[in-house]
Amino acid sequence: LLLAAVENGSIQSGDVILIEAMDRVGRLEPMEMLPLLSRIVNSGVDIVTLDDGIRYNRESANSNHLFLLVAKVQQAHQFSDTLSRRLKASYTSRKKAAAEGITPKRNTPVWLTSEGALIAEIAPLVKQAFEDYASGLGERRIFERIFEGNTNPLLARMAPSTVKRWMNNRTAIGEWNGIPSVYPAVIEPELFYRVQKRMEDKFSPRGLPTKHRFTGLVVCAECGKNFNTKYYQ
């Protein structure tokens, strides 16, 4: 992105790019990274690393700073490579544990504790959210229902978009990474797949003339039409 900004003129000759450390520019292999940095510096743009205050430009690149730059790029790539290998190893280990019936340690959805147990006061709200979505309500309306009189701190950062993420989260039926029964299910699979069907069909939530709590859930026994209310002044 930095190189693109230099080449399209957003960053011009004489400008200075301040970065926290060299690994903030990129973590590519040195043979790929150095030519990119060279193109930036040769365009007349200076790079200053704030962790050590060193300024890289055409003049300094021809001094001992060139060797320091090579070392920094090499270090950034090695750090990235090591981190990647550690994350992959951790993921593989957790997946193996889950397949063996051991609940993996990971960031869990709001309805589960870090140990993977259902939170009694949250689980019913999540189940109701799925039922409401399957019935045709939209994320914002479901969000409003959940927060109506609810002060649970676990839901403090929730937003309407959170509801949509819940609907896609297979942890709701106890699954993780394709492995069933890793966690206790908060809803039945039948409800989950009804929600998925609605999402696949790109169902558009029907217009709601009011915020009455039963709108979209109650239908007339005679004609089958949806219950709604209207107010006239």
Side-chain angles (χ1 to χ4, degrees):
L1 291 177
L2 279 176
L3 181 60
V6 170
E7 292 180 339
N8 66 26
S10 298
I11 300 176
Q12 301 177 353
S13 178
D15 290 344
V16 178
I17 299 172
L18 303 179
I19 57 174
E20 183 180 353
M22 190 55 68
D23 62 359
R24 298 296 90 192
V25 178
R27 296 175 181 176
L28 299 173
E29 292 185 4
M31 292 302 292
E32 296 180 64
M33 193 66 188
L34 289 171
L36 296 179
L37 293 173
S38 177
R39 288 165 67 181
I40 293 174
V41 170
N42 283 332
S43 69
V45 176
D46 291 5
I47 298 175
V48 175
T49 47
L50 298 178
D51 60 343
D52 54 15
I54 294 180
R55 189 184 193 103
Y56 298 93
N57 52 32
R58 288 175 180 171
E59 292 72 27
S60 66
N62 292 321
S63 66
N64 291 337
H65 285 175
L66 176 61
F67 300 102
L68 181 60
L69 179 61
V70 171
K72 283 187 174 183
V73 170
Q74 209 167 20
Q75 184 181 39
H77 173 67
Q78 288 174 349
F79 172 78
S80 177
D81 185 56
T82 300
L83 181 61
S84 176
R85 283 189 282 107
R86 285 178 179 173
L87 289 174
K88 287 178 181 178
S90 173
Y91 183 80
T92 300
S93 175
R94 285 182 291 154
K95 184 177 179 180
K96 183 175 182 293
E100 294 173 351
I102 303 171
T103 302
K105 292 290 185 181
R106 55 181 285 264
N107 290 331
T108 52
V110 69
W111 61 85
L112 293 173
T113 65
S114 58
E115 288 75 31
L118 283 177
I119 300 175
E121 60 269 32
I122 301 294
L125 299 176
V126 176
K127 184 176 181 179
Q128 186 62 54
F130 273 88
E131 291 174 348
D132 288 347
Y133 195 90
S135 298
L137 296 187
E139 295 93 15
R140 183 166 292 279
R141 183 64 187 282
I142 295 171
F143 169 78
E144 291 171 354
R145 287 190 173 202
I146 289 174
F147 271 87
E148 191 174 294
N150 194 303
T151 58
N152 193 303
L154 293 174
L155 300 174
R157 295 184 180 181
M158 184 177 166
S161 59
T162 308
V163 175
K164 189 65 173 287
R165 290 197 295 272
W166 286 0
M167 301 301 112
N168 285 306
N169 196 334
R170 300 185 71 87
T171 307
I173 55 175
E175 184 180 311
W176 178 67
N177 197 42
I179 303 171
S181 303
V182 176
Y183 299 101
V186 71
I187 60 170
E188 295 297 321
E190 182 273 336
L191 175 56
F192 182 82
Y193 290 115
R194 271 199 290 131
V195 167
Q196 302 315 301
K197 181 65 167 59
R198 181 195 161 189
M199 296 175 74
E200 288 173 5
D201 292 343
K202 297 182 180 179
F203 185 93
S204 299
R206 49 183 170 270
L208 301 174
T210 71
K211 293 185 178 181
H212 195 285
R213 65 170 58 245
F214 296 118
T215 300
L217 295 180
V218 179
V219 297
C220 176
E222 297 294 329
C223 66
K225 291 186 178 179
N226 295 325
F227 165 85
N228 60 57
T229 59
K230 292 183 181 180
Y231 298 93
Y232 297 93
Q233 295 181 349

